[in-house]
Amino acid sequence: MPAIGPAARAAIKGYLEGFIEGLVGRYEGRSFTQFSNPREYLSRASSQEERLLRPFHAAIIPSELRRISAFERGFSTSLGTTFEECARLIALEHHQDAQRNYTLTGYVSLNAINEIEHQVALFERAAEGSASARKPDFEHMISAVLKARRTDDLEPRRARADLYILSQDGTEYFFEVKSPDPNKGQCLEVTQRLLRFHLLRGHPRPAVRAYFAMAYNPYGPRRDDYKWSFARNYMPFEQAVLIGHEFWDIVGGPTAYEELLAIYQEMGREKAKYIIDALVFGF
């Protein structure tokens, strides 16, 4: 039985088609002026449209290819949002509920909020210490935050998860779906956010499971292939990070990742001529 049923498949294709056409529409009319001569080009001021003068690029690369290059950069920046929506559509076929930009609200202990900051600071110090320094265990961090709660210092707080899934057995999953190459600050910030999800729900694992999710592994098929040092060092990597198959298996089962990639490939084939015609030839 496929992980992505006919209804979800149709919804994903429709969503990706709109995503592609919307992005092409942003770039197909963008003007990249031709390089006439060195003196003329070097007299120009940078326009809002091009943002940065690149005389050597402009001298060699045709304006049509520069438009495609700008489109590719915009595509790479926006692509992550498609993972969240596709995951939501797939998850709705397998779980009780799935939502994007899910907001948690509640009154929580100020002492516990401060404990989150303390736990993340401890983790950062251990990450930057000697090779023998032991980083806090993620489940221990969660436990320390929940144990720090008091009833006389409650304040309203909210947090937003990129993706929320309520499984059939009642487990709540909170995902921060991010790039596979985060910087140090992003790693520490997401770790803090994952702890906030647990605090706002008031439960440890396994009732609540919060993860940093990467939609794919740029280094290879196995978890051990992943080499990005910031994520490995500045997050509870083994307990709080899901990569590629690990994420999509939770969303839709063991074949979801491959089936979804096949849909992306199908859309690429169907829209290839449209993309080239619009960006290169302007029709």
Side-chain angles (χ1 to χ4, degrees):
M1 180 177 177
I4 304 176
R9 178 182 176 82
I12 290 169
K13 288 194 67 176
Y15 169 75
L16 290 177
E17 183 172 27
F19 169 77
I20 292 169
E21 291 179 357
L23 196 61
V24 168
R26 284 168 48 191
Y27 289 94
E28 64 178 328
R30 182 171 293 187
S31 174
F32 290 84
T33 54
Q34 294 286 353
F35 187 104
S36 55
N37 62 72
R39 178 172 295 178
E40 184 278 329
Y41 191 93
L42 293 175
S43 71
R44 296 179 190 175
S46 180
S47 68
Q48 179 64 26
E49 194 169 79
E50 291 187 307
R51 297 187 182 182
L52 182 67
L53 291 169
R54 298 179 177 177
F56 295 100
H57 288 72
I60 292 178
I61 302 173
S63 60
E64 293 83 2
L65 289 183
R66 281 185 278 148
R67 186 181 300 114
I68 291 175
S69 177
F71 167 79
E72 193 278 333
R73 291 195 299 272
F75 178 85
S76 297
T77 301
S78 305
L79 186 62
T81 61
T82 71
F83 304 145
E84 297 171 25
E85 179 61 9
C86 291
R88 184 187 72 85
L89 292 168
I90 297 169
L92 285 172
E93 293 196 327
H94 298 270
H95 302 280
Q96 291 189 57
D97 191 21
Q99 298 181 43
R100 290 177 63 192
N101 298 318
Y102 183 84
T103 300
L104 300 83
T105 60
Y107 284 85
V108 295
S109 167
L110 182 59
N111 193 58
I113 293 170
N114 292 335
E115 183 62 26
I116 289 176
E117 303 287 341
H118 176 64
Q119 289 296 320
V120 173
L122 286 176
F123 194 95
E124 181 180 10
R125 284 200 296 272
E128 294 181 343
S130 65
S132 61
R134 185 171 182 178
K135 299 172 190 173
D137 176 89
F138 187 55
E139 295 199 16
H140 172 80
M141 296 170 74
I142 297 169
S143 177
V145 170
L146 295 179
K147 286 179 180 178
R149 289 176 296 176
R150 292 177 5 200
T151 58
D152 61 346
D153 64 345
L154 301 181
E155 291 192 0
R157 284 290 190 274
R158 66 171 54 202
R160 179 171 292 177
D162 290 334
L163 178 68
Y164 167 78
I165 292 177
L166 176 62
S167 72
Q168 296 295 348
D169 65 5
T171 301
E172 291 190 290
Y173 291 92
F174 298 90
F175 300 101
E176 288 294 288
V177 185
K178 305 299 182 188
S179 162
D181 53 358
N183 61 35
K184 171 189 169 182
Q186 290 167 333
C187 291
L188 295 172
E189 180 184 348
V190 170
T191 301
Q192 184 180 76
R193 199 172 301 153
L194 301 184
L195 291 171
R196 285 180 191 156
F197 297 154
H198 280 277
L199 176 58
L200 279 160
R201 274 300 190 254
H203 295 293
R205 290 181 170 181
V208 172
R209 292 184 175 271
Y211 293 103
F212 182 113
M214 304 176 189
Y216 63 95
N217 185 346
Y219 295 94
R222 300 173 305 167
R223 183 180 184 86
D224 289 346
D225 293 326
Y226 183 80
K227 299 296 190 300
W228 191 253
S229 60
F230 285 120
R232 281 192 167 275
N233 198 38
Y234 288 102
M235 291 200 73
F237 184 78
E238 296 302 330
Q239 295 173 299
V241 177
L242 300 174
I243 309 174
H245 279 288
E246 298 166 345
F247 169 57
W248 295 108
D249 286 359
I250 293 174
V251 170
T255 62
Y257 189 12
E258 187 174 342
E259 290 178 36
L260 179 62
L261 191 56
I263 295 174
Y264 274 69
Q265 181 185 33
E266 185 176 329
M267 287 306 303
R269 288 170 174 167
E270 291 178 7
K271 303 301 288 186
K273 186 176 185 301
Y274 161 75
I275 293 171
I276 293 171
D277 285 348
L279 296 179
V280 177
F281 303 111
F283 58 79

